Amino acid sequence: MVGAAAEAQLNRLESQVDNGGGGAWEYLSLVRKLKVRRSDKVLKHGLSILNDPKRRSKLGSDEWTLYEQVAIAAMDCQCLDVAKDCIKTLTKKFPDSTRVGRLEGMLLEAKGSWEDAENAYARLLEDNPLDQVLYTMGGLENLQTAKKYYASAIDLTGGKNMRALYGVCLCSAAISQLARGRNKDEESSELQSLAASALLKEYKKKASSKIDLITTTLGNMKLLP
């Protein structure tokens, strides 16, 4: 939850940028720091920087952070061509990045290409099961919160949301690494086993040629009973 002082600062910056007073990068950085979603503003002001070579060059390595931020905002706003262009730029710079792979999966979802999105998330799970979650969210508390959201999505969709199933598996593996030696939550263990079993079931239906690979991957993550 964003505190009153932080929200007031964000609103002041937003008003300043909207009225041509500068500070777009500071505003976008604060949006990221506070983890708030103001997608229309991020899209507008982020593109104003990315489309200006001089301003963009001043960002240094933060240029790539902005491409990612704008891509997500563009998907929220259904500006999928903009999102596609941003992700294409990131893919060219970071061809083997799981973080960029996650964006590609999100774009496929935004387009309604559910099967392709599932395949993209499957590749992330197979290729690099832990790094994506740890790098993207990090911290035991954040991972536990994310796992609860994924679990809710599974309940709402009757276990049919593949992204949520992947999410539970990824978060469970990451939590196990961070919480070594602590008491094991039996309810949580049951959830991760059910999610892993549901994934195996879907693979048997839709991608039987990969069943051995996903079984090995989930086994290595200690998610199978």
Side-chain angles (χ1 to χ4, degrees):
M1 184 176 178
V2 179
E7 185 170 7
Q9 180 187 6
L10 183 64
N11 289 335
R12 282 196 301 271
L13 260 178
E14 185 175 287
S15 178
Q16 174 184 308
V17 178
D18 282 345
N19 290 294
W25 174 246
E26 290 77 9
Y27 170 72
L28 294 165
S29 297
L30 188 57
V31 168
R32 285 198 310 277
K33 180 181 177 181
L34 298 178
K35 294 181 171 60
V36 295
R37 286 182 102 87
R38 299 198 176 184
S39 300
D40 57 334
K41 301 293 185 181
V42 168
L43 181 60
K44 177 182 177 181
H45 299 308
L47 280 178
S48 73
I49 296 175
L50 292 178
N51 291 333
D52 184 334
K54 187 175 180 180
R55 294 172 70 193
R56 189 176 70 237
S57 66
K58 292 180 179 179
L59 298 179
S61 61
D62 284 332
E63 173 184 347
W64 313 113
T65 301
L66 182 56
Y67 270 110
E68 179 185 38
Q69 187 178 12
V70 171
I72 293 171
M75 285 185 274
D76 284 347
C77 297
Q78 283 298 300
C79 295
L80 301 187
D81 286 341
V82 173
K84 181 181 178 181
D85 288 342
C86 289
I87 294 170
K88 183 178 179 180
T89 299
L90 288 168
T91 301
K92 185 176 180 179
K93 178 67 177 178
F94 308 104
D96 299 317
S97 168
T98 55
R99 189 160 178 161
V100 177
R102 180 176 63 92
L103 291 175
E104 291 172 339
M106 291 169 65
L107 179 59
L108 290 167
E109 277 195 287
K111 290 179 176 179
S113 302
W114 308 115
E115 186 174 348
D116 290 338
E118 287 175 11
N119 289 334
Y121 292 129
R123 286 193 297 273
L124 290 178
L125 182 62
E126 293 160 4
D127 295 342
N128 210 339
L130 297 182
D131 287 353
Q132 182 199 2
V133 172
L134 289 170
Y135 185 59
T136 303
M137 293 178 285
L140 184 58
E141 185 176 348
N142 285 338
L143 288 166
Q144 289 171 333
T145 299
K147 186 176 177 180
K148 288 179 182 177
Y149 282 125
Y150 284 129
S152 296
I154 290 172
D155 286 339
L156 289 171
T157 60
K160 300 298 183 183
N161 187 319
M162 293 296 287
R163 184 181 181 188
L165 293 171
Y166 291 133
V168 166
C169 290
L170 289 166
C171 288
S172 296
I175 288 169
S176 294
Q177 279 204 345
L178 293 175
R180 285 175 181 167
R182 303 185 191 181
N183 292 333
K184 200 168 184 180
D185 185 338
E186 290 185 7
E187 183 178 345
S188 181
S189 297
E190 182 180 2
L191 172 62
Q192 66 193 44
S193 294
L194 288 172
S197 297
L199 272 179
L200 286 175
K201 184 177 179 180
E202 290 300 312
Y203 266 86
K204 287 177 181 177
K205 287 181 182 178
K206 299 178 180 178
S208 58
S209 62
K210 292 187 176 182
I211 192 65
D212 289 341
L213 178 59
I214 194 66
T215 299
T216 300
T217 300
L218 293 172
N220 290 339
M221 294 163 69
K222 296 181 172 54
L223 296 179
L224 294 177

